[in-house]
Amino acid sequence: MPVDNYEGAFAGMSYFLKEIKDIDNNLVVVSPDAGGMTRAKSFHSHFSKHGYDHVGLAMISKERKAANQVDNMILIGDVKGKDCIIVDDMIDTAGTLCGAGSLLKEQGANKVYAFATHGIFSGPAGDRIGKSAFEKVITTDSMQVSADFAAKAGDKHGQVSLDLLIAEVIRRTH
């Protein structure tokens, strides 16, 4: 059976186009790891389609001690004085994500945001995000957020709806 992969980036773009001021000279899209660079480049390209041709692109290289244990993070790119959006496919416990957000602030980033299609938010994710360096962590509504997570993350988490994307998929298939 043929299937299509629909990116949640469409839903996140509207939020960031409204939220971030001076996008063209002030924004860097950041991949949290080498494996996510294709996703970050795709998200980055959406800004060009909206007329913003000077948005930067950066990547974080992670050195691991063992599986699921990051020993060191290195930023590849310049974020000093810029607003940053870390783009990922999903957020689970938010440990690596919050570490990446802290690294960007340490490297001189102005405001740090994150966008992920799926917010799994297990274990300590709510506490980590609530205490993090992020202005806001945005996810789509592909997964329901627990009341416990929402209380712990507070106003640092927001959701955008996939309703228009899903409606368009249905329209095109019928």
Side-chain angles (χ1 to χ4, degrees):
M1 174 195 310
V3 296
D4 290 320
N5 179 35
Y6 295 101
E7 292 185 27
F10 168 82
M13 284 302 297
S14 294
Y15 175 84
F16 293 111
L17 289 169
K18 291 176 195 168
E19 181 68 23
I20 298 176
K21 308 299 180 234
D22 192 24
I23 288 174
D24 215 17
N25 298 307
N26 190 45
L27 182 63
V28 178
V29 174
V30 180
S31 173
D33 52 39
M37 199 60 189
T38 300
R39 182 181 315 102
K41 285 178 13 182
S42 175
F43 195 82
H44 177 268
S45 74
H46 290 295
F47 286 103
S48 292
K49 292 174 186 171
H50 286 275
Y52 300 108
D53 297 322
H54 299 98
V55 172
L57 188 61
M59 181 185 84
I60 295 173
S61 174
K62 295 186 281 196
E63 298 173 357
R64 295 190 180 274
K65 278 189 219 181
N68 295 327
Q69 291 185 7
V70 175
D71 184 41
N72 191 28
M73 292 186 188
I74 300 166
L75 176 65
I76 300 168
D78 183 21
V79 299
K80 190 171 186 173
K82 306 287 185 179
D83 292 342
C84 298
I85 305 170
I86 299 173
V87 181
D88 212 346
D89 56 347
M90 65 182 76
I91 303 168
D92 188 3
T93 63
T96 301
L97 178 72
C98 290
S102 293
L103 174 65
L104 294 176
K105 290 296 275 188
E106 290 167 12
Q107 295 295 315
N110 183 26
K111 294 180 180 178
V112 181
Y113 300 86
F115 173 74
T117 302
H118 308 292
I120 299 168
F121 302 130
S122 63
D127 285 327
R128 287 176 173 165
I129 290 171
K131 296 173 185 172
S132 73
F134 289 104
E135 294 292 315
K136 199 77 127 173
V137 173
I138 301 296
T139 58
T140 69
D141 59 357
S142 67
M143 299 184 76
Q144 187 174 2
V145 174
S146 74
D148 182 56
F149 168 80
K152 290 177 179 177
D155 64 355
K156 288 201 173 189
H157 177 255
Q159 279 190 312
V160 292
S161 180
L162 288 172
D163 59 355
L164 294 176
L165 177 64
I166 293 169
E168 184 62 16
V169 168
I170 293 168
R171 187 190 71 75
R172 289 184 184 197
T173 57
H174 290 294

